[in-house]
Each structure stands twice: as C-alpha cells, then as structure tokens.
C-alpha cells in the first residue's frame, strides 16, 4: 500500500477556505497521476481534482472548477488542494489518491474508483 499522508481538513463556515496537503514518497510522487476524491456519508465517492506530477496538467470535477485548485511541490513530494468558496455540500471525507491513469476512464472518474491500497487515510472537511 502506498503511503499518503493527508492534512489540512477542518470545519469552516460557508464561503470559507481550506487547503489540504498530501505528502508521499518520492517514488510515488514522481511522474504519477495523483489527486483527491471525497465521500460523504450515504453518498458515492466522487473524484475532485487530479494532477500529472510530471507535466503539471490538472483535471477537475465540474463542481470544483473555479473554486478548487490542485497544485504540487516537487521538493516536498506533496500535492495540495486549495478549496475556496466552500459550500455545505462540500462536506465530506477527502482522500488523497494515486494511480489515476486508468484505461477507459477520465482522471476524475478514476479518482472516484481508487482502491483502498492507493489512497490515504483521509481528512475530514465540514462546512456549515
């Protein structure tokens, strides 16, 4: 199982911001597809945002476009998810994931299907 360590979750009011971080090993980080998916109680998992760490190409779910920004820091083997203008419906457990290049799937679709062995423990985001 890959080692992905997330941080940055918390509770904010609607309209607020949070920045999530996910640190991995250099091997996992280099030239890989990494990203975030989320899952709220009683709801299906959904991909949020992805990034090719080799090219810095980014991908977003429709609900994330214009509000969320995924980025990376090569020196720290870390990806980030800056979330602005948060809404109550953004409340969920957010998971960092790797390996989002899956044949026949978009990056966002693949993130929503990430197997347990390719994700971190998750960080809770609550928007009230």
């Amino acid at each position: 199982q890959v080692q992905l360590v997330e941080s940055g979750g918390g509770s904010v009011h609607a309209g607020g911001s949070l920045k999530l971080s996910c640190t991995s090993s250099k091997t996992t980080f280099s030239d890989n597809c990494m990203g975030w998916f989320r899952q709220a109680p009683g709801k299906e998992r959904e991909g949020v945002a992805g990034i090719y760490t080799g090219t810095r190409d980014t991908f977003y779910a429709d609900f994330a476009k214009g509000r969320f920004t995924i980025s990376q820091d090569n020196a720290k083997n870390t990806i980030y998810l800056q979330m602005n203008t948060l809404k109550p419906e953004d409340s969920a457990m957010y998971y960092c994931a790797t390996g989002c290049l899956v044949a026949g799937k978009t990056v966002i679709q693949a993130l929503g299907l990430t197997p347990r062995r390719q994700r971190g423990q998750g960080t809770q985001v609550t928007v009230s």
Side-chain angles (χ1 to χ4, degrees), residues 21-128:
S21 301
C22 171
T23 299
S24 64
S25 68
K26 184 176 178 63
T27 300
T28 297
F29 181 85
S30 298
D31 291 327
N32 202 354
C33 181
M34 297 184 67
W36 300 86
F37 69 91
R38 68 186 187 183
Q39 187 163 25
K43 295 187 178 181
E44 293 187 356
R45 285 186 292 172
E46 53 183 356
V48 178
I51 188 166
Y52 290 164
T53 58
T55 63
R56 296 180 182 257
D57 289 334
T58 58
F59 308 86
Y60 295 94
D62 287 343
F63 66 79
K65 292 177 182 176
R67 298 191 300 130
F68 296 1
T69 302
I70 190 169
S71 60
Q72 66 188 68
D73 184 331
N74 291 355
K76 297 180 179 180
N77 300 326
T78 298
I79 64 168
Y80 303 95
L81 184 68
Q82 176 68 48
M83 304 185 292
N84 299 326
T85 319
L86 283 162
K87 305 174 182 179
E89 52 263 43
D90 293 317
S91 297
M93 186 70 82
Y94 284 70
Y95 296 89
C96 180
T98 185
C100 41
L101 283 177
V102 177
K105 302 293 183 185
T106 66
V107 168
I108 297 303
Q109 290 171 337
L111 285 167
L113 298 171
T114 300
R116 190 180 187 91
R117 66 182 182 278
Q118 292 177 211
R119 65 158 173 89
Q121 294 301 307
T123 185
Q124 179 68 40
V125 171
T126 303
V127 186
S128 60

